[in-house]
DNA sequence: TATGAAAGGTTGAACCC
DNA sequence: GGGTTCAACCTTTCATA
């Protein structure tokens, strides 16, 4: 499946699933678009098969789950090892996400949750030992996400 | 529910649901922990009710979905308006996530997807018009996420 | 709070248009 | 590609300990 194959139904399915993927049934989506439920199921499977839908993660409130500290650790990785180091960073305990940045000095951003400051120090050390030079830490205050929508330029 | 109420079963449920929330049934989880399926359902409901589980988003490959450009726009917001502006930024077409940063000059990070460079320029303008001063843009090359796990310090 | 049972909804697969 | 059918599975609800 390629980009141009994403039609209105696909877009609608993505939008409906976003935010409530576990409790939104194919039938409910099907009713709204006036198609058969199996059509929606087929589409969802196709979207999964071609990796447009990569997965169904959980949106966890880490603060309520016992991790009051949420920070971004900005790191510098030697260019040839950037991808390898980014993947390895995922294995450090407390790391929840890693982003590779195309350009600039701070080319790996590591999202981290921790219980206290010692926890964060330990994570910083672990990243350093991997070979990621820690440049800066930014404490996250809040995070908001948007549902999928075909971003129409006419809006 | 408070932090200390998260026991081993809750942790396990969070871990199992992460990554496959839509296709992981309560029964499957129940078997692995040797409890009744209804027990797992009750726990999931509790985790949802107390907002430890905030939702079930979709992990979309925006590149495959037709948005090859994925960037972080670093912005500066006047402190008193930071939260309001962060929430408003979500409504800009193309914005997929917003983070409020506690300290520093670049105190609002906006995750954006776009079809081309014009698209990104337009988004930058929109953010500026809201009152968010665009400081820098960072092109994302890749992104990896980690499943939930109780981050044991002994690891 | 955990469990079990009955009823109703949801899913996946095979088949047809 | 979309639709129908059906068996298997999942979930909801409620009663029980």
């Amino acid at each position: 499946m390629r980009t141009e194959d994403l039609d209105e139904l696909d877009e609608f399915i993505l939008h409906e699933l976003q935010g409530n993927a576990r409790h939104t049934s194919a039938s409910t989506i099907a009713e709204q678009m006036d198609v058969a439920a199996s059509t929606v199921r087929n589409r969802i499977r196709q979207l999964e098969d071609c990796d447009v839908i990569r997965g169904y993660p959980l949106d966890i409130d880490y603060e309520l789950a016992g991790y009051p500290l949420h920070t971004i650790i900005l790191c510098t990785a030697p260019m040839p090892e950037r991808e390898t180091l980014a993947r390895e960073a995922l294995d450090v305990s407390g790391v929840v996400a890693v982003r590779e940045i195309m350009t600039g000095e701070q080319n790996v951003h590591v999202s981290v949750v921790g219980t206290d400051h010692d926890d964060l120090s330990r994570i910083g050390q672990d990243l350093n030992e991997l070979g990621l030079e820690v440049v800066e830490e930014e404490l996250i205050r809040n995070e908001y996400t948007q549902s999928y929508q075909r971003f129409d330029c006419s809006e």
Side-chain angles (χ1 to χ4, degrees), chain A:
Chain A
M1 183 184 278
R2 285 196 310 273
T3 298
E4 51 265 38
D5 298 327
L6 279 185
D7 66 8
E8 212 179 310
L9 180 54
D10 294 314
E11 307 277 348
F12 188 80
I13 290 171
L14 291 177
H15 183 259
E16 286 299 299
L17 286 181
Q18 184 76 299
N20 230 332
R22 191 176 163 85
H23 298 302
T24 305
S25 73
S27 338
T28 313
I29 299 174
E31 277 176 25
Q32 297 176 72
M33 288 299 273
D34 205 29
V35 294
S38 57
T39 304
V40 174
R41 287 197 280 272
N42 286 336
R43 292 298 190 98
I44 291 176
R45 170 185 298 247
Q46 286 166 30
L47 289 167
E48 289 169 355
D49 286 349
C50 72
D51 277 331
V52 170
I53 296 178
R54 284 189 291 211
Y56 302 92
L58 227 46
D59 183 0
I60 294 176
D61 188 320
Y62 281 104
E63 197 167 332
L64 288 178
Y67 300 97
L69 298 177
H70 193 174
T71 74
I72 307 282
I73 302 183
L74 307 177
C75 304
T76 302
M79 197 55 89
E81 304 167 56
R82 179 181 58 183
E83 182 164 350
T84 314
L85 289 174
R87 289 183 183 278
E88 287 174 359
L90 261 195
D91 295 330
V92 171
S93 173
V95 170
V96 293
V98 179
R99 277 177 177 154
E100 280 183 62
I101 307 299
M102 208 69 112
T103 56
E105 191 207 3
Q106 301 161 11
N107 57 5
V108 175
H109 293 189
V110 184
S111 276
V112 159
V113 296
T115 55
D116 53 35
H117 214 76
D118 285 353
D119 215 12
L120 296 186
S121 303
R122 191 259 314 155
I123 295 167
Q125 277 178 22
D126 287 356
L127 293 176
N128 259 317
E129 282 166 21
L130 273 182
L132 285 165
E133 185 197 338
V134 172
V135 179
E136 202 183 325
E137 296 190 18
E138 297 179 332
L139 200 55
I140 294 177
R141 179 170 178 269
N142 236 322
E143 206 163 3
Y144 316 101
T145 56
Q146 177 59 269
S147 302
Y148 179 89
Q149 49 188 287
R150 180 51 73 172
F151 305 109
D152 191 351
C153 289
S154 63
E155 280 174 39

